[in-house]
Structure formats: C-alpha cells, structure tokens
C-alpha cells in the first residue's frame, strides 16, 4: 500500500509519517530531504555549480544533476542519501538548504529527476509512507491513502521554533513565522506541482492534536483499507 501525505512546512508531517511508517512496518520516504539534497549538491557543496557558475536555470540544473554522484537508497525502511561516498543528513537541515530547496524545487528538471527516483524507490516493494508537497497529486496518484496535513501558522511556527531551539539554532519566533509563510506562498504558487490537496485526500488539521492522536487516526484509516 502507498500512503501519500502532503502539507505545508511545520504541519507535523515528518514526525507523524516516521511513526506511522514504523507502526505499519512500512518504508518512510521523506521527499523533502531529497529536494534538500539536490539543493545542497547544486548550491552548497564544495565546488557546487550554483556557487561557481552563479544561479542555475532549469537546463543547467538538469545537466548538473546528470553529472553528479547524488544517490538515494532505502536502508532499514528509511531513506539514505549519498553524495559520492558521503552520507548527507544534518547538512540538509540548515536554513541555507531549506531556502535553496524551496527555490530550486520550482525547476521542472529538478522535479523530474526526483520524481523518477521516488517512483524507483517505491517500486522496490513493500508498503510506503511518502511525505512531501506533491506525493499524492503527482508522484503517486495511485496511492491507496492520500492525506493533506495542515496546522495553523502559529502552531507550525511554534513547532519549528522548538526544533531549532533543540538544535541550538537561534532564530526568533517572528522570523520563523515569516519564513514559513513565505515558503508556503512559494510552494503553493509555483507553476510546477504546487502544494495542493489531492482529489479525494483526507484533510487533517493537526493544530489541536498531539502526534499520537494523528498517527492513530491515520493508522486506523490505513487498517480500514487493508
Ligand atoms: O518538507 P521539507 O521542508 O523538507 O521540504 C523542503 C522543500 O522541498 C520545500 O520548501 C518544498 C520542496 N518540496 C517539494 O517541492 N516537493 C516535495 N514533494 C517535497 C518538498
């Protein structure tokens, strides 16, 4: 079974999807991490083409991605990302990669490259919980369960604030709220695969709910479909 969960930044997707996948014994596919990895490789890595050659257009990003040794794999039911031999993880979570991922995810060449990888990874068999912005609308329109997870802006900003504080990153609540609102606008208004609820998606507002409640509701939906 494919469960595809989309929604804006800070709606609680990552935590919920990770726990849901573990509960069901499914693979957890974090497609946002894949956009972050592409952004990191194109603009932040040592010698990245976006650093040496300036802002990349669609064609140059596509060509650079073909040449790059960026690789994705599923290990122990979760996504692993490699740049050459180097595993990528924490470097994908900084503000630089976050901003670049939102900007570069507008490019069709980037989306095509990653959608192909996402379908290949899902084709390896077994159940999958995919999370992102277009997993139910574009990547897996055949998903048995489609979910649109939201939360109000204040709640989402407060969650990000806690996450950043736990990592020792100093960003004010107001700044986070502004960045999230900007990212929502960019993700929802881009030409290619904008953030939208898929037709027939189950809408869930997580503002007043704890993680366990959300996971339980989604696990219940999945059980009813199995
Ligand atoms: O979920 P996230 O914050 O890690 O995603 C980072 C960026 O990647 C987000 O601003 C938009 C983009 N993204 C996308 O365009 N499509 C996806 N399926 C997942 C993420």
């Amino acid at each position: 079974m494919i469960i595809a969960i989309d929604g804006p930044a800070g709606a609680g997707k990552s935590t919920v999807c990770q726990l849901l996948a573990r509960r069901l014994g499914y693979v957890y596919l974090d497609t946002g991490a894949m956009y972050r990895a592409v952004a990191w490789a194109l603009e932040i890595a040592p010698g990245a083409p976006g650093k040496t050659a300036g802002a990349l257009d669609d064609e140059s990003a596509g060509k650079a991605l073909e040449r790059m040794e960026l690789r994705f794999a599923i290990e122990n039911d979760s996504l692993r990302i490699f740049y050459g031999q180097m595993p990528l993880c924490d470097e994908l979570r900084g503000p630089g990669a976050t901003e670049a991922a939102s900007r570069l995810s507008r490019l069709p060449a980037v989306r095509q490259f990653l959608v192909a990888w996402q379908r290949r990874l899902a084709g390896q068999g077994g159940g999958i919980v995919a999370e992102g912005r277009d997993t139910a609308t574009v990547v897996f329109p055949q998903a048995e369960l489609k979910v649109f997870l939201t939360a109000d802006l204040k709640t989402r900003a407060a969650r990000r604030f806690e996450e950043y504080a736990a990592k020792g990153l100093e960003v004010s609540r107001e700044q986070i709220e502004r960045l999230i609102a900007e990212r929502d606008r960019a993700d929802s208004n881009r030409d290619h695969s904008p953030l939208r609820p898929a037709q027939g998606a189950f809408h869930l507002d997580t503002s007043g709910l704890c993680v366990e409640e959300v996971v339980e509701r989604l696990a219940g939906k999945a059980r009813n479909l199995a």
Side-chain angles (χ1 to χ4, degrees):
M1 185 193 296
I2 296 182
I3 301 177
I5 303 186
D6 294 321
K13 296 190 303 291
S14 302
T15 317
V16 164
C17 291
Q18 249 165 308
L19 291 172
L20 180 64
R22 201 176 305 154
R23 168 131 8 143
L24 300 171
Y26 284 13
V27 165
Y28 164 54
L29 185 64
D30 175 3
T31 66
M34 300 172 82
Y35 283 90
R36 287 166 182 273
V38 160
W40 184 86
L42 290 177
E43 289 201 350
I44 299 172
K51 260 201 313 212
T52 52
L56 298 169
D57 60 16
D58 191 45
E59 195 185 338
S60 44
K63 286 202 175 123
L65 284 173
E66 273 171 31
R67 283 195 307 269
M68 248 165 208
E69 280 189 66
L70 187 61
R71 196 166 57 77
F72 304 93
I74 301 294
E75 286 175 17
N76 296 325
D77 284 346
S78 58
L79 176 70
R80 299 259 289 145
I81 305 177
F82 298 92
Y83 183 69
Q85 298 300 313
M86 179 184 159
L88 297 182
C89 190
D90 292 344
E91 47 279 89
L92 305 182
R93 299 289 144 194
T98 304
E99 185 278 323
S102 181
R103 189 162 32 79
L104 291 172
S105 64
R106 268 183 270 162
L107 302 178
V110 167
R111 305 208 69 86
Q112 271 165 28
F113 174 79
L114 287 178
V115 168
W117 264 108
Q118 288 153 13
R119 291 183 179 149
R120 217 175 304 148
L121 293 171
Q124 294 176 4
I128 183 157
V129 177
E131 72 139 295
R133 305 292 190 286
D134 65 342
T135 65
T137 48
V138 175
V139 189
F140 304 118
Q142 79 281 23
E144 284 85 352
L145 178 57
K146 299 178 185 182
V147 180
F148 196 72
L149 219 57
T150 54
D152 58 56
L153 183 59
K154 285 249 173 290
T155 306
R156 294 191 285 128
R159 286 176 185 161
R160 270 295 133 89
F161 179 77
E162 301 298 332
E163 268 172 43
Y164 283 160
K167 288 182 192 156
L169 288 170
E170 276 185 39
V171 193
S172 74
R173 276 174 203 269
E174 292 70 31
Q175 206 177 349
I176 293 179
E177 209 172 296
R178 193 169 39 75
L179 288 173
I180 290 185
E182 268 170 26
R183 203 139 74 89
D184 283 355
R185 228 181 343 265
D187 293 347
S188 307
N189 291 312
R190 65 182 179 217
D191 292 337
H192 299 278
S193 312
L195 170 65
R196 296 271 152 80
Q199 241 192 351
F202 170 60
H203 288 239
L204 187 56
D205 185 328
T206 67
S207 305
L209 301 174
C210 70
V211 170
E212 224 0 84
E213 276 175 294
V214 178
V215 173
E216 191 41 54
R217 298 229 338 227
L218 298 182
K221 287 238 160 229
R223 273 194 297 271
N224 289 340
L225 287 168

